[in-house]
Amino acid sequence: MEIRTDLAIENRELYKEKRKEEVPGVKVELEEGDDYTVTRVNILDPMGANNMGKPMGLYITIEVPKLKNSDQELRDNISKLLAKEIKGMGYNHKQTKTLIVGLGNWNVTPDALGPKVVDRVMVTRQFFIAYNKDEDETVANVSALSPGVMGLTGIETGEIIKGIVEKTKPDLIIAIDALASRKMERVSTTIQITDTGISPGSGVGNERIGLNKDYLGVPVLAIGVPTVVDAATMINDTMEMIISSMKDKAAVGGEFYSLLEDISKEEKYQLIKEVLEPYMPNVVVTPKEIDLIIDDLSIIIANGLNMALHHGIHLEDVNRYLR
Amino acid sequence: MEIRTDLAIENRELYKEKRKEEVPGVKVELEEGDDYTVTRVNILDPMGANNMGKPMGLYITIEVPKLKNSDQELRDNISKLLAKEIKGMGYNHKQTKTLIVGLGNWNVTPDALGPKVVDRVMVTRQFFIAYNKDEDETVANVSALSPGVMGLTGIETGEIIKGIVEKTKPDLIIAIDALASRKMERVSTTIQITDTGISPGSGVGNERIGLNKDYLGVPVLAIGVPTVVDAATMINDTMEMIISSMKDKAAVGGEFYSLLEDISKEEKYQLIKEVLEPYMPNVVVTPKEIDLIIDDLSIIIANGLNMALHHGIHLEDVNRYLR
Amino acid sequence: MEIRTDLAIENRELYKEKRKEEVPGVKVELEEGDDYTVTRVNILDPMGANNMGKPMGLYITIEVPKLKNSDQELRDNISKLLAKEIKGMGYNHKQTKTLIVGLGNWNVTPDALGPKVVDRVMVTRQFFIAYNKDEDETVANVSALSPGVMGLTGIETGEIIKGIVEKTKPDLIIAIDALASRKMERVSTTIQITDTGISPGSGVGNERIGLNKDYLGVPVLAIGVPTVVDAATMINDTMEMIISSMKDKAAVGGEFYSLLEDISKEEKYQLIKEVLEPYMPNVVVTPKEIDLIIDDLSIIIANGLNMALHHGIHLEDVNRYLR
Amino acid sequence: MEIRTDLAIENRELYKEKRKEEVPGVKVELEEGDDYTVTRVNILDPMGANNMGKPMGLYITIEVPKLKNSDQELRDNISKLLAKEIKGMGYNHKQTKTLIVGLGNWNVTPDALGPKVVDRVMVTRQFFIAYNKDEDETVANVSALSPGVMGLTGIETGEIIKGIVEKTKPDLIIAIDALASRKMERVSTTIQITDTGISPGSGVGNERIGLNKDYLGVPVLAIGVPTVVDAATMINDTMEMIISSMKDKAAVGGEFYSLLEDISKEEKYQLIKEVLEPYMPNVVVTPKEIDLIIDDLSIIIANGLNMALHHGIHLEDVNRYLR
């Protein structure tokens, strides 16, 4: 059964739903704030990686249920929290040269998060070159690029990035990408940060090269926000909720639903796929106002990055660097 | 049970699914082409209107299953077919002054069809005024405007249009709008043309004024293309398909499913709504590449309008007037 | 000699250059700030109007030479100053219903200022209607619309606005427009506010209807920023500067240049026009980065309007209402 | 005297204006069509290169005075002519792998030509990889990318392209760029194709690396269209025209103007620069409707490229590959 998700916390959720236990090989830490929850999922060993279907490493998830209709204050707080979590991972320092990569297709709204963040981060590498400097009190050496997708360029994203890395020799790569969640409630309210980069084949396209330390030779942080739910996944999950809700309500007929639940477990997702597939290979479920949501999210993340990377940049300043 | 659809052929479909008979008070005509089907649904009397949940009048639907990946030839053919159907309705002649209205929110991709068509139609009223003419051999008197939505302007769309109609006195209004279908397969493959205008409350927003002859004083043609499916509607329909498919396959357990089918009929949609509502008041299901689809559709429709309204404009010419 | 300018301070400058005296019938007040100058030109009587070539009324000009490369603090200060000047004109109060009109063509970057401001102002009229209120402690009743230009709609801008005014009955109209200056240094560094509205034929297009109290029946404030210099105007002015500079430097040949200066006064502009006209009916001089400048200016003005109109909205809040 | 131009035909024009002879070391060929002129300037040796201020190689210029208001037929003809000239240069064959590079800043309208062409060319390299093919009857192996400018990415354009060339090993690079002309009449009516690539420091930015065979190791064709005139250049040229026009008209005072002409030759451009510089380091002269012109030009060039590179693609087909 192929539930499509890019979020480590959902892989964990799926494991726990099925096995009714914490995932072996995985350490989980929770931190509750007023308006947010931070979950740090650490996949410790190959068994953990196997259970989770994801590479070993740290996956930090910031969930902010009210983010969609938030005021400026909450958004600023989430930018600060994001900056704190990025710095806390320990990959960037004053002299770190960072390359920010905006993944995804700018012509497809729910996929345009990465390019929009790149449009809004503060880029400084050209000044370090012009003034022949290695370090600065206020700003760090940052370059940024949106490579497009294979359908637009004919070139694998990984090849483009690898070529640029060899020429410009950054110490750290931060890749921004739009993700898929299994649950609508996480869409545009959740930010995942991981130090495992982006695995081959995890995206929607037919890219075969991963963006990770193995391939690129430097650490790769990946920051992602779910912007869509796969339609088949959503229908499956909603049916489960409905059947479970019907079972609870049905005092008498309870056994029907139990039976249905069991039978369907095996066949249901397959059936959904069969029913949907002919006419919707690429159908996604997304909030109607996704255009505006992507704009807002890209500002929150760009602000977070500007504060995380440039030690002299504080919240009062970040709006100056935004377009 | 509230299936959300703006297509007359789907109201008819729903009636027929339930009552297993043609809708009384409605006349239906079918025309099959190589790559398309034209269905002309004529709601003849108040009983028909009541059965359909739609005002009396003509609803022409062009279905083109292959439209999404079509080549230029098919698109041109559909533009021509659209022009023929519009002309066939008998509302526009050489001297008709037409106001084209692009409804919807240009900031929300699946809602931006109307404004994009308006960007691409050939507007001529200013020349008739400048040269003080009433008629021309080649082109007709056409003006065009996208009024925005109430959330952007603070003004009901109907008020804006009514004010402009009183000042510019057109003989005919053609309103372009994005619609909702109950079925993914109809999204961006179906064009509906109706002479009943747009009813109050039929759109998604909180507009209360209809755009129709009653309110505006001149005939209103509405041209629409479904660009989204309401998420609850889609889940409901998919569940029906699945249950029906399971019933067929289950030689033995057939009665279970019959029972489930009956029970669910009453409760299912309500349950889906309950389950989904907390976090998705505005969730839609849409093709991932909707941005490109809306662009293509707006060209097809603008070409159709240019040919339908301007008697001297033929297919060879239409691309000249496009941006 | 037809110097093209939309700025009252430039009409005054031209008069003074020629007659070497203050314009009769005009009262001028200057206020110097740290980073800005406010000039209040009050055309008091018909003689003043005739001398200035502009209707009687108040023209407030805010000049901010450093605006183009300004930091956030200066921008915020200019928004506050703009709000103060608008409020100081005395046209809007708590219960005033305001219609903001964004003039200009959104497809032509230097002309898109008005539409971009409209995209960013806080629109509230729909809530007053929904809750059936006349007044609110925090916000005022504001609607907003960009009518496009005649070339896009086929309809005179004035007709569209008049129709909407008759339907929605605002007490005050604020029109935002891009202007032409005679001097490059004023482009995108100057804001003019006037209570005379917009005169017929003052814009670039062929609109014949003015947007003013006479035509619309309610007071019309016009806020404008020069975004272009007409090419012929610019060449003419630069030649004057050069000839004058050559005259000063030429100890001996001084009389040549005096002669040239005199002769050219009569013929020069005509010659420039003749030379340029064949191939540049619509050529403008504009900063290369005009796209970004228009974005920045629209935020400054939208912030100013939000603070001027909504009594409970302060600088801390304005960014929440921006897109 | 620094006249800014990127067109070889203007370098030649300037040389001839001054020396009244054809440029030594340069061979020039003219071809007149109904609506266009093709000029082939071949810089044959180092002396020619020195006289022209440009590297040795072939510069083909297509001038189409009526292009700005052209109908579809003329545009199609220019696309075909462009395709013919590109093929005639002999750099691409059936098996040639081509990388198309769209230079310039997509946020600055007159600089966005390259990126817009890249959006519209037919990209195929991904299919050659997916099907593991070296050659195809209909299409050639084409990839395409817009690297942005140093101010956006922090990375020199040349470094990005070099990195990608090393990874993807194309046989030919075609770079598209917006140019500066000295004459308004050439803006958006002229296409230059050269096999010398793009020289370091020829653009407006501070890029130091050239995009040419020397640096990239494969032949580089550059296709450019002037979209702006430098303001100082334009004023200078207009003054020359005016003085010359005054001289002709002045029967008596002729000697004045001759004198003025001589004196000014030495000082004029310097004076213009002095007068303009304080407030306009980046001022350009451009048609008001440049947004629409860039759109049109990008289609003409993309169509030309699609026909030049893909042997099975003809005019009937090209619109299918356009967005």
Side-chain angles (χ1 to χ4, degrees):
Chain A
M1 178 157 138
E2 257 313 310
I3 293 294
R4 193 176 154 226
T5 176
D6 297 320
L7 293 174
I9 55 168
E10 294 190 342
N11 292 101
R12 178 192 170 219
E13 215 173 63
L14 285 163
Y15 187 97
K16 287 177 72 180
E17 277 171 23
K18 211 170 161 189
R19 310 287 183 97
K20 318 288 176 198
E21 56 162 22
E22 186 54 80
V23 197
V26 168
K27 203 184 100 194
V28 179
E29 229 182 79
L30 264 186
E31 184 190 317
E32 298 277 352
D34 272 356
D35 293 303
Y36 62 86
T37 309
V38 179
T39 311
R40 293 186 194 85
V41 173
N42 212 325
I43 304 184
L44 301 167
D45 55 34
M47 186 186 58
N50 191 47
N51 288 334
M52 292 281 286
K54 282 199 166 326
M56 295 193 315
L58 179 59
Y59 299 82
I60 299 174
T61 311
I62 302 173
E63 289 174 275
V64 196
K66 292 185 208 152
L67 192 58
K68 224 181 287 183
N69 302 304
S70 60
D71 59 16
Q72 193 57 41
E73 205 188 326
L74 178 53
R75 289 169 196 209
D76 285 348
N77 285 342
I78 299 309
S79 290
K80 277 192 241 173
L81 180 60
L82 176 62
K84 202 191 93 190
E85 294 295 333
I86 293 170
K87 283 201 255 185
M89 292 178 104
Y91 289 94
N92 71 299
H93 309 280
K94 247 187 184 175
Q95 283 164 301
T96 306
K97 294 182 200 163
T98 304
L99 170 62
I100 299 174
V101 176
L103 300 172
N105 184 343
W106 44 76
N107 290 332
V108 172
T109 306
D111 206 25
L113 179 69
K116 290 231 167 184
V117 170
V118 159
D119 282 352
R120 285 168 157 137
V121 290
M122 191 188 163
V123 166
T124 56
R125 183 176 173 272
Q126 69 273 37
F127 305 120
F128 283 80
I129 291 172
Y131 299 108
N132 203 11
K133 285 178 78 172
D134 278 336
E135 192 180 328
D136 178 87
E137 276 314 296
T138 317
V139 297
N141 185 319
V142 173
S143 53
L145 186 109
S146 295
V149 295
M150 208 171 170
L152 293 174
T153 61
I155 311 173
E156 287 226 32
T157 304
E159 287 180 294
I160 296 176
I161 302 307
K162 177 91 168 175
I164 292 166
V165 165
E166 286 176 3
K167 289 290 147 216
T168 66
K169 307 211 180 307
D171 309 311
L172 174 65
I173 291 168
I174 300 183
I176 320 295
D177 203 4
L179 307 178
S181 165
R182 63 183 282 222
K183 293 201 174 158
M184 203 59 216
E185 63 196 279
R186 288 210 180 88
V187 164
S188 73
T189 62
T190 302
I191 304 172
Q192 176 176 274
I193 318 157
T194 174
D195 59 1
T196 60
I198 288 172
S199 306
S202 71
V204 206
N206 41 3
E207 315 261 348
R208 306 151 310 159
I209 302 176
L211 292 178
N212 48 36
K213 195 177 172 183
D214 256 23
Y215 179 65
L216 294 173
V218 290
V220 181
L221 301 189
I223 300 178
V225 174
T227 61
V228 295
V229 173
D230 168 64
T233 299
M234 188 200 190
I235 291 170
N236 187 72
D237 275 13
T238 314
M239 283 183 71
E240 302 263 343
M241 284 189 278
I242 289 164
I243 289 167
S244 137
S245 154
M246 286 167 90
K247 200 171 83 179
D248 294 349
K249 290 190 185 171
V252 189
E255 68 186 292
F256 278 157
Y257 298 108
S258 297
L259 191 55
L260 175 69
E261 208 177 359
D262 293 344
I263 294 169
S264 65
K265 271 262 157 73
E266 290 145 32
E267 304 185 56
K268 227 170 14 185
Y269 192 79
Q270 201 45 47
L271 273 165
I272 294 170
K273 276 293 207 193
E274 265 172 42
V275 167
L276 296 179
E277 221 144 53
Y279 48 88
M280 53 176 251
N282 254 322
V283 169
V284 293
V285 188
T286 195
K288 194 161 183 246
E289 72 283 23
I290 185 70
D291 306 65
L292 305 176
I293 288 173
I294 294 281
D295 258 8
D296 287 348
L297 284 169
S298 68
I299 294 176
I300 292 170
I301 293 174
N303 276 348
L305 282 170
N306 286 340
M307 286 187 279
L309 299 178
H310 303 299
H311 12 282
I313 302 292
H314 304 289
L315 194 59
E316 312 83 78
D317 313 302
V318 287
N319 284 312
R320 296 184 201 178
Y321 306 108
L322 279 188
R323 279 279 154 224
Chain B
M1 178 156 139
E2 256 313 312
I3 293 294
R4 193 178 152 224
T5 175
D6 297 320
L7 293 175
I9 54 168
E10 295 191 342
N11 292 102
R12 178 191 170 220
E13 212 172 68
L14 285 164
Y15 187 96
K16 288 178 70 180
E17 277 172 21
K18 213 170 160 187
R19 310 288 183 96
K20 316 288 176 201
E21 56 162 22
E22 187 55 79
V23 197
V26 167
K27 203 183 101 195
V28 178
E29 230 182 78
L30 263 186
E31 184 189 319
E32 298 277 352
D34 272 356
D35 293 304
Y36 62 85
T37 310
V38 179
T39 311
R40 294 186 194 85
V41 173
N42 212 327
I43 305 185
L44 301 167
D45 54 34
M47 186 186 59
N50 191 47
N51 288 333
M52 291 281 287
K54 282 202 167 325
M56 295 192 315
L58 179 59
Y59 299 82
I60 299 174
T61 310
I62 302 172
E63 290 174 275
V64 196
K66 291 186 208 151
L67 192 58
K68 223 181 290 182
N69 303 304
S70 59
D71 59 15
Q72 193 57 41
E73 205 188 327
L74 179 53
R75 290 169 195 207
D76 285 347
N77 285 340
I78 299 309
S79 291
K80 277 192 243 174
L81 180 59
L82 177 62
K84 202 191 92 191
E85 294 295 332
I86 293 171
K87 284 201 253 185
M89 292 178 104
Y91 290 94
N92 71 298
H93 309 280
K94 247 188 184 175
Q95 284 165 299
T96 307
K97 294 181 199 164
T98 305
L99 169 63
I100 299 174
V101 176
L103 300 172
N105 184 343
W106 44 76
N107 290 332
V108 172
T109 306
D111 205 25
L113 179 69
K116 290 231 168 183
V117 170
V118 159
D119 283 353
R120 286 169 159 136
V121 291
M122 191 187 163
V123 166
T124 56
R125 184 176 173 271
Q126 68 273 37
F127 305 120
F128 283 80
I129 290 173
Y131 299 109
N132 203 12
K133 287 178 76 170
D134 277 335
E135 195 180 326
D136 180 86
E137 276 314 296
T138 317
V139 297
N141 185 319
V142 173
S143 53
L145 185 109
S146 295
V149 294
M150 207 173 171
L152 293 174
T153 61
I155 312 174
E156 286 226 35
T157 304
E159 288 180 294
I160 296 175
I161 302 307
K162 176 88 167 177
I164 293 167
V165 166
E166 287 175 3
K167 290 290 145 217
T168 65
K169 308 211 180 307
D171 309 311
L172 174 65
I173 292 168
I174 300 182
I176 320 296
D177 203 4
L179 307 178
S181 165
R182 64 183 281 223
K183 292 202 175 157
M184 204 58 218
E185 64 196 278
R186 289 211 180 88
V187 164
S188 73
T189 62
T190 302
I191 304 172
Q192 176 176 272
I193 318 158
T194 174
D195 58 2
T196 60
I198 288 173
S199 306
S202 73
V204 207
N206 40 4
E207 314 261 347
R208 305 151 312 159
I209 303 175
L211 292 177
N212 48 37
K213 196 177 172 184
D214 256 22
Y215 179 65
L216 295 173
V218 291
V220 181
L221 300 190
I223 300 177
V225 174
T227 61
V228 296
V229 173
D230 169 64
T233 299
M234 188 200 192
I235 291 171
N236 187 71
D237 275 13
T238 314
M239 282 182 72
E240 303 263 344
M241 284 188 276
I242 288 165
I243 289 168
S244 138
S245 154
M246 286 166 90
K247 202 172 81 178
D248 294 349
K249 289 188 184 173
V252 191
E255 68 185 292
F256 277 157
Y257 298 108
S258 297
L259 192 56
L260 176 70
E261 210 177 357
D262 294 342
I263 295 170
S264 65
K265 272 262 158 75
E266 289 145 33
E267 302 186 56
K268 227 171 15 189
Y269 191 78
Q270 200 44 47
L271 273 165
I272 293 171
K273 277 291 207 194
E274 265 172 43
V275 167
L276 295 180
E277 221 143 53
Y279 48 87
M280 55 173 250
N282 253 322
V283 169
V284 294
V285 188
T286 195
K288 195 162 182 245
E289 72 283 21
I290 185 70
D291 307 66
L292 305 175
I293 288 172
I294 294 281
D295 259 8
D296 287 348
L297 284 169
S298 67
I299 294 176
I300 292 170
I301 294 174
N303 276 348
L305 283 170
N306 286 340
M307 286 187 280
L309 300 178
H310 303 298
H311 12 280
I313 303 293
H314 304 289
L315 194 59
E316 312 81 79
D317 312 301
V318 289
N319 284 311
R320 297 185 200 178
Y321 305 108
L322 279 188
R323 278 279 155 223
Chain C
M1 178 155 137
E2 256 313 311
I3 293 294
R4 193 176 153 228
T5 175
D6 297 320
L7 293 175
I9 54 167
E10 294 190 341
N11 292 101
R12 178 192 171 219
E13 215 173 65
L14 285 164
Y15 187 97
K16 287 177 71 180
E17 277 172 21
K18 212 171 161 187
R19 310 288 182 97
K20 317 288 177 200
E21 54 162 23
E22 185 56 78
V23 197
V26 168
K27 204 183 101 194
V28 178
E29 230 181 77
L30 263 187
E31 184 189 318
E32 297 277 352
D34 272 356
D35 293 304
Y36 62 85
T37 309
V38 179
T39 311
R40 293 185 194 85
V41 173
N42 211 327
I43 305 185
L44 300 167
D45 53 35
M47 185 185 59
N50 190 48
N51 288 333
M52 292 281 286
K54 281 201 166 325
M56 293 192 315
L58 179 60
Y59 299 83
I60 299 174
T61 311
I62 302 173
E63 289 174 276
V64 196
K66 292 185 208 153
L67 192 58
K68 223 180 291 183
N69 302 303
S70 59
D71 58 17
Q72 193 57 42
E73 205 188 326
L74 178 54
R75 290 168 195 208
D76 285 348
N77 285 341
I78 299 308
S79 289
K80 277 192 242 173
L81 181 59
L82 177 61
K84 202 190 92 191
E85 294 295 333
I86 293 171
K87 282 201 254 184
M89 292 177 106
Y91 291 94
N92 71 299
H93 309 281
K94 247 186 184 176
Q95 284 164 300
T96 306
K97 293 182 200 163
T98 305
L99 169 62
I100 299 174
V101 176
L103 300 172
N105 185 342
W106 45 75
N107 289 332
V108 172
T109 306
D111 206 25
L113 179 70
K116 290 232 169 185
V117 170
V118 159
D119 283 353
R120 285 169 159 137
V121 291
M122 191 187 163
V123 166
T124 56
R125 183 176 173 271
Q126 69 273 36
F127 305 120
F128 283 80
I129 291 172
Y131 299 110
N132 203 12
K133 285 179 78 172
D134 278 335
E135 194 180 326
D136 180 87
E137 275 315 296
T138 316
V139 296
N141 185 320
V142 173
S143 53
L145 186 108
S146 296
V149 294
M150 207 171 170
L152 294 174
T153 62
I155 312 174
E156 286 226 34
T157 305
E159 288 180 293
I160 295 176
I161 302 307
K162 177 88 169 178
I164 293 167
V165 166
E166 287 174 2
K167 289 291 145 216
T168 65
K169 307 211 179 306
D171 309 311
L172 175 65
I173 291 167
I174 300 182
I176 320 296
D177 203 3
L179 307 178
S181 165
R182 64 182 281 223
K183 292 202 174 157
M184 204 59 218
E185 64 196 279
R186 288 210 180 88
V187 164
S188 74
T189 63
T190 302
I191 304 172
Q192 175 176 275
I193 317 157
T194 174
D195 59 2
T196 61
I198 288 173
S199 306
S202 73
V204 206
N206 40 4
E207 314 261 348
R208 305 150 312 159
I209 302 176
L211 290 178
N212 48 36
K213 197 177 171 184
D214 257 22
Y215 179 66
L216 294 174
V218 291
V220 180
L221 301 189
I223 299 178
V225 174
T227 61
V228 296
V229 174
D230 168 62
T233 299
M234 189 200 190
I235 290 171
N236 187 72
D237 275 15
T238 313
M239 282 181 71
E240 302 264 344
M241 283 188 278
I242 289 164
I243 289 167
S244 137
S245 155
M246 285 167 90
K247 201 172 80 179
D248 294 348
K249 290 189 184 172
V252 189
E255 68 186 291
F256 278 158
Y257 298 107
S258 296
L259 192 55
L260 175 70
E261 209 177 358
D262 294 342
I263 295 169
S264 65
K265 272 262 158 75
E266 289 144 32
E267 303 186 54
K268 227 170 14 186
Y269 191 78
Q270 200 44 47
L271 273 165
I272 293 171
K273 277 291 207 193
E274 264 172 43
V275 166
L276 295 179
E277 222 144 53
Y279 47 89
M280 54 174 249
N282 253 321
V283 169
V284 293
V285 188
T286 196
K288 194 159 184 247
E289 71 282 24
I290 185 70
D291 307 66
L292 305 176
I293 288 173
I294 294 282
D295 259 8
D296 287 347
L297 284 170
S298 67
I299 295 175
I300 292 170
I301 294 174
N303 275 348
L305 283 170
N306 286 339
M307 286 188 279
L309 299 178
H310 303 299
H311 12 281
I313 302 293
H314 304 289
L315 195 60
E316 311 82 79
D317 312 301
V318 289
N319 284 311
R320 296 185 201 178
Y321 306 107
L322 281 188
R323 279 278 154 226
Chain D
M1 179 155 137
E2 257 313 310
I3 294 293
R4 194 179 152 226
T5 176
D6 296 320
L7 293 175
I9 54 167
E10 294 191 342
N11 291 102
R12 179 193 169 219
E13 214 173 65
L14 285 163
Y15 187 97
K16 286 178 71 180
E17 278 172 22
K18 212 171 160 186
R19 311 288 182 96
K20 319 287 177 200
E21 56 161 22
E22 185 56 80
V23 197
V26 168
K27 203 184 99 194
V28 179
E29 229 182 80
L30 264 186
E31 183 189 320
E32 299 276 352
D34 273 355
D35 294 303
Y36 62 85
T37 309
V38 179
T39 310
R40 293 186 194 85
V41 173
N42 211 326
I43 305 184
L44 300 167
D45 53 34
M47 185 186 59
N50 190 47
N51 287 334
M52 292 281 287
K54 283 201 167 322
M56 294 191 317
L58 180 60
Y59 300 81
I60 300 174
T61 311
I62 303 172
E63 290 174 275
V64 196
K66 292 186 208 151
L67 192 58
K68 225 182 287 183
N69 303 302
S70 59
D71 59 16
Q72 193 57 41
E73 205 188 326
L74 178 54
R75 290 169 196 208
D76 285 348
N77 284 341
I78 300 308
S79 290
K80 276 192 243 174
L81 180 59
L82 176 62
K84 201 191 93 190
E85 294 295 332
I86 293 170
K87 283 201 254 184
M89 292 177 103
Y91 290 95
N92 71 298
H93 309 279
K94 246 186 185 176
Q95 284 164 300
T96 306
K97 295 182 198 163
T98 305
L99 170 62
I100 299 174
V101 176
L103 300 172
N105 184 343
W106 43 76
N107 290 330
V108 173
T109 306
D111 205 26
L113 179 70
K116 290 231 167 183
V117 170
V118 159
D119 283 353
R120 286 168 157 136
V121 291
M122 191 188 164
V123 166
T124 55
R125 184 176 172 271
Q126 68 273 36
F127 305 119
F128 284 80
I129 290 173
Y131 299 108
N132 204 13
K133 286 178 77 170
D134 278 335
E135 194 180 328
D136 179 86
E137 275 314 296
T138 317
V139 296
N141 184 322
V142 173
S143 53
L145 185 109
S146 296
V149 295
M150 208 171 170
L152 294 174
T153 61
I155 311 173
E156 287 227 32
T157 304
E159 287 180 293
I160 296 176
I161 302 307
K162 177 89 168 177
I164 292 166
V165 166
E166 287 175 3
K167 290 291 146 215
T168 66
K169 308 210 180 307
D171 309 311
L172 174 65
I173 292 168
I174 300 183
I176 320 295
D177 203 4
L179 307 178
S181 166
R182 64 182 282 221
K183 293 203 174 156
M184 203 59 217
E185 64 197 277
R186 288 210 180 88
V187 164
S188 73
T189 63
T190 303
I191 304 172
Q192 175 175 275
I193 318 157
T194 174
D195 60 1
T196 61
I198 288 173
S199 306
S202 72
V204 206
N206 41 4
E207 314 261 347
R208 304 150 312 158
I209 303 175
L211 292 179
N212 48 36
K213 195 176 172 186
D214 256 22
Y215 179 65
L216 295 173
V218 291
V220 180
L221 301 189
I223 300 178
V225 175
T227 61
V228 296
V229 173
D230 169 63
T233 299
M234 188 200 190
I235 291 170
N236 187 71
D237 275 12
T238 314
M239 283 182 71
E240 302 263 344
M241 284 188 277
I242 289 165
I243 289 166
S244 139
S245 155
M246 287 166 89
K247 201 172 80 179
D248 294 349
K249 290 189 186 172
V252 190
E255 69 185 293
F256 277 158
Y257 297 108
S258 298
L259 192 56
L260 176 69
E261 210 177 358
D262 294 342
I263 296 169
S264 65
K265 273 260 157 76
E266 290 146 32
E267 303 185 55
K268 228 170 13 187
Y269 191 79
Q270 200 45 45
L271 273 165
I272 293 170
K273 276 292 206 194
E274 266 172 42
V275 168
L276 295 180
E277 220 143 55
Y279 48 88
M280 52 175 253
N282 253 322
V283 169
V284 293
V285 188
T286 195
K288 195 160 183 244
E289 71 283 23
I290 185 71
D291 307 65
L292 305 176
I293 289 173
I294 294 282
D295 258 8
D296 287 348
L297 283 169
S298 68
I299 294 175
I300 292 170
I301 294 174
N303 275 348
L305 283 170
N306 286 339
M307 285 187 281
L309 299 178
H310 303 298
H311 12 280
I313 302 293
H314 304 289
L315 195 60
E316 312 82 79
D317 312 301
V318 289
N319 284 312
R320 297 186 200 177
Y321 306 108
L322 279 187
R323 280 278 155 222

